[in-house]
Amino acid sequence: MLWWPVGQVLGLVVDGLGWVLGGIGSAIYDWIAADHPGLAGEIDLLSFGKGGWGDDLWAGLQLTLQLAAISLVFGLVIGFLGAGAKLAPSKWLNRIGNLYTVLIRGLPELLTLMLIYYGIQFGLQGLIELVALQDLCAATALPAKMALFGLEDGTRAFCGATTVNVSGFAAGTVALSLVFGAFATEVLRGAILAVPKGQLEAARAIGMSRALLIRRVLIPQVWRFALPGLGNLWLNLVKDTSLVSVIALDELMRKAGIAVGVTKQPFLFYGAACALYLAVTGVSMIVFARAERWASRGVRRPV
């Protein structure tokens, strides 16, 4: 109840801004329609609602950002694990880390995506045939057991499956995460090596535990050294999301391609996609620049 007046005021402000901006937009559109009738038709094609493709481009941009953000999270986890493996005293971990980075960095991103998409599909299909999934479910009475938890419908569909359809979003996330993680491994490995060893030795000397040393000494400085490289990798990741259009995932580039096929206006829609990618890039650069300044707070800069 205390926040109700605040919500009402904010709602009125938003409605007022919408009315003002809508009026300005209508006035600009009327001016363009009067002086440049050809441009009005193109604006109609990019508008939201019936007859316009703005909704489709917006949905494609949202999917692109979701795919990039999820891949960034998983890619960072893989990068830290890869960097840890390459810096570990174990030779076997070193070899695993080196093999992973050499394989993924040596393959084109599109080829990695296709291998993962079809590899998961054929692999699961072969596994179903190998274990005789239907016979296994019948022998273990799995549907009846899962019915106790209210999962009988999903279990019945799982046990009756004879073909596998892999989600394009899941395959794209796995592929982009692996690619990002391979490059992030080298960035994070270099950032860890850049931390002065004397600081780590001093932290051990005053009795810091390993976990406390990592949290208070290592990680803050690793971010400072790694953020510029990770920012570049993020921009590459956003652009690489366009590759998932080849597996029929409706991200921004595929939406633009569909619009081009229907309207025969390639320059308009590819130009709109270009503007959206540049907008994401510009915002990302601002965010990473501020993150770098935050990570470098208290650090004396050379004169």
Side-chain angles (χ1 to χ4, degrees):
M1 294 299 294
L2 292 175
W3 291 105
W4 182 83
V6 177
Q8 293 297 313
V9 172
L10 290 177
L12 290 174
V13 171
V14 172
D15 290 341
L17 286 175
W19 181 79
V20 171
L21 294 177
I24 294 174
S26 298
I28 293 175
Y29 178 81
D30 292 338
W31 172 72
I32 293 175
D35 292 354
H36 306 280
L39 291 178
E42 295 183 350
I43 293 176
D44 289 337
L45 288 176
L46 293 174
S47 64
F48 289 78
K50 186 177 181 180
W53 291 85
D55 306 87
D56 299 270
L57 295 178
W58 174 245
L61 178 62
Q62 287 180 305
L63 187 60
T64 291
L65 294 177
Q66 291 173 6
L67 183 62
I70 296 174
S71 300
L72 172 67
V73 173
F74 286 110
L76 281 175
V77 173
I78 295 172
F80 273 110
L81 293 176
K86 298 192 75 168
L87 294 173
S90 171
K91 291 184 178 180
W92 283 106
L93 288 177
N94 296 159
R95 292 170 181 170
I96 292 174
N98 288 327
L99 179 63
Y100 162 63
T101 54
V102 168
L103 283 177
I104 299 299
R105 294 168 68 197
L107 294 177
E109 288 84 350
L110 180 59
L111 180 57
T112 302
L113 173 64
M114 300 302 287
L115 287 175
I116 290 175
Y117 180 68
Y118 291 108
I120 293 176
Q121 184 171 336
F122 292 146
L124 292 177
Q125 186 69 45
L127 183 63
I128 289 176
E129 296 174 359
L130 179 65
V131 301
L133 184 61
Q134 295 179 351
D135 296 338
L136 181 63
C137 288
T140 58
L142 185 62
K145 293 177 181 177
M146 297 305 294
L148 300 175
F149 302 96
L151 301 175
E152 62 275 13
D153 293 337
T155 306
R156 191 177 299 111
F158 170 76
C159 291
T162 57
T163 59
V164 177
N165 294 317
V166 178
S167 166
F169 188 88
T173 300
V174 172
L176 294 178
S177 298
L178 289 175
V179 171
F180 183 91
F183 288 95
T185 293
E186 298 300 330
V187 172
L188 293 171
R189 184 179 71 89
I192 293 172
L193 292 175
V195 177
K197 292 184 179 179
Q199 296 186 15
L200 303 179
E201 293 172 356
R204 296 190 191 97
I206 63 175
M208 277 192 179
S209 64
R210 185 179 183 85
L212 187 62
L213 183 151
I214 292 174
R215 181 167 60 89
R216 286 196 173 182
V217 179
L218 188 63
I219 294 298
Q221 298 193 76
V222 165
W223 284 125
R224 179 163 62 90
F225 294 122
L227 273 174
L230 292 177
N232 290 332
L233 294 181
W234 161 254
L235 297 181
N236 289 331
L237 176 63
V238 173
K239 293 183 292 184
D240 286 344
T241 56
S242 62
L243 298 175
V244 301
S245 61
V246 301
I247 56 175
L249 190 64
D250 289 334
E251 45 73 56
L252 179 57
M253 276 302 297
R254 179 168 170 80
K255 289 289 190 180
I258 294 173
V260 169
V262 174
T263 63
K264 310 304 180 185
Q265 294 282 347
F267 187 79
L268 175 64
F269 286 101
Y270 286 137
C274 176
L276 291 173
Y277 277 117
L278 288 176
V280 173
T281 298
V283 173
S284 299
M285 291 176 66
I286 294 173
V287 171
F288 272 95
R290 293 191 175 184
E292 289 176 29
R293 287 198 297 269
W294 175 82
S296 300
R297 66 195 187 283
V299 177
R300 182 179 299 176
R301 299 183 179 276
V303 180

